Amino acid sequence: MQFGAEHHTLGSHRLGPQVVGQRIVLRHLLPDGRATDILGVCQTWGPTSAVLQTDRGTVEVPLATIVTGKPVPPRASVRQRVPAHVAERHALALWPHVETAVLGEWVLRCDPAPVGRPLKRANSALALGDSGLEPAEAAEAVQAFYAARGRPAMAQVEAGSATEEALTTLGWQPVPGGDSHFQVASLATALRASRGPAPVEEVHLAVDGDRVEVVVGDGVARGRAGFHEDWLGLHGVEVDPAHRRRGLARAVVAELLDWGGSLGATTAWLHVEVDNDAALALYGPLGFRTHHSLRYLTPAGPG
């Protein structure tokens, strides 16, 4: 974007060597007197010029031509820029036996033989993205899918999305306790942060194709993970109450991440309930950040 030079005063900024390494935007004058903006990471700030690394390469800007500028937030990581419906597709690798059907970008999921209490994630419509239908038609299709399998209809939506608003308008209601965050982290960063003293108990890994279960000792701590493309999903990390506060959960996570890294995973992800303070306290220091938040909805009446 370019601006008329007559509206700018040279040197009206507080930039200097302190911005080296930061992402900044500069407005500077071209030789013909016009002003233009440049965005990039400041590589050097010398006595006469600043060097920025931009998407188009390295650019040197004479300090005498700078009108104004300021630091800007760092660009979101590639993994943070992935659409929610694409990120959630990686979760399907955790339950390969689950029956699925597509409805546009939606995925209808049903566990044909759940062990114990059926998991909501494996028995709900992943209603993210565009279903390709009008909201009422999509809702009817979801209800018909689960009715044919003798299951209650349920949809997992992105909290605050247009889909949530549309289904709510049709009478769908939130499932109590069904809110969660989808969090992601650089696997390398999370692995470095998770490493610590090895647990006293022996650690066992049971690998099944693209999935693994880690068990500490005779089961005092355990966790599972699934590898899909270059994403590693963590699931079911738990520690026996009598053995908590010994770093076992972090040790399990470290083993899962190390296994995923050996397969070439670069991104780690997980679901964590919004009110699970212990889990949030575990994963936050490892670099996990919320990508999007989810909510389960179900029809108000029989369906």
Side-chain angles (χ1 to χ4, degrees), residues 2-5 28-36:
Q2 296 181 339
F3 304 86
H28 68 106
L29 297 181
L30 299 173
D32 62 5
R34 292 177 300 146
T36 188

Side-chain angles (χ1 to χ4, degrees), residues 15-33:
L15 301 177
Q18 75 276 8
V19 300
V20 172
Q22 296 185 42
R23 191 165 178 249
I24 63 174
V25 59
L26 291 179
R27 181 168 299 175
H28 68 106
L29 297 181
L30 299 173
D32 62 5

Side-chain angles (χ1 to χ4, degrees), residues 242-262:
H243 295 270
R244 290 175 181 169
R245 300 186 182 280
R246 295 172 50 196
L248 295 180
R250 182 176 289 231
V252 168
V253 170
E255 291 289 345
L256 294 172
L257 294 172
D258 186 65
W259 176 82
S262 71

Side-chain angles (χ1 to χ4, degrees), residues 75-293:
R75 174 182 294 176
S77 67
V78 172
R79 60 185 61 89
Q80 283 287 358
R81 299 199 297 270
V82 172
H85 74 276
V86 174
E88 287 286 349
R89 290 293 184 104
H90 296 291
L92 299 176
L94 289 173
W95 300 284
H97 62 285
V98 170
E99 176 190 0
T100 61
V102 296
L103 188 66
E105 292 177 331
W106 294 14
V107 181
L108 314 185
R109 307 167 293 189
C110 182
D111 188 344
V115 177
R117 179 175 60 87
L119 290 172
K120 291 192 291 292
R121 267 181 287 176
N123 292 278
S124 61
L126 184 60
L128 303 181
D130 184 6
S131 69
L133 300 173
E134 292 298 320
E137 295 175 318
E140 290 176 3
V142 170
Q143 290 177 273
F145 176 85
Y146 290 102
R149 290 156 180 78
R151 300 288 174 84
M154 190 159 45
Q156 190 178 31
V157 301
E158 185 174 1
S161 66
T163 298
E164 179 185 15
E165 181 180 0
L167 290 179
T168 300
T169 300
L170 292 171
W172 290 52
Q173 298 177 349
V175 175
D179 290 5
S180 63
H181 298 309
F182 182 99
Q183 296 196 323
V184 296
S186 158
L187 188 138
T189 298
L191 181 57
R192 285 194 299 269
S194 65
R195 284 176 170 152
V200 175
E201 294 83 355
E202 187 175 355
V203 177
H204 308 274
L205 274 72
V207 179
D208 179 14
D210 289 337
R211 299 180 305 284
V212 67
E213 181 176 27
V214 168
V215 179
V216 176
D218 59 358
V220 297
R222 64 179 64 242
R224 297 186 295 278
F227 175 77
H228 181 247
E229 295 176 350
D230 62 343
W231 288 54
L232 182 78
L234 309 184
H235 174 66
V237 175
E238 56 186 25
V239 178
D240 185 280
H243 295 270
R244 290 175 181 169
R245 300 186 182 280
R246 295 172 50 196
L248 295 180
R250 182 176 289 231
V252 168
V253 170
E255 291 289 345
L256 294 172
L257 294 172
D258 186 65
W259 176 82
S262 71
L263 297 181
T266 59
T267 296
W269 67 267
L270 52 87
H271 288 108
V272 58
E273 295 178 350
V274 298
D275 58 356
N276 191 339
D277 294 335
L280 292 170
L282 168 66
Y283 296 120
L286 303 185
F288 283 88
R289 299 292 180 265
T290 297
H291 181 280
H292 59 272
S293 298

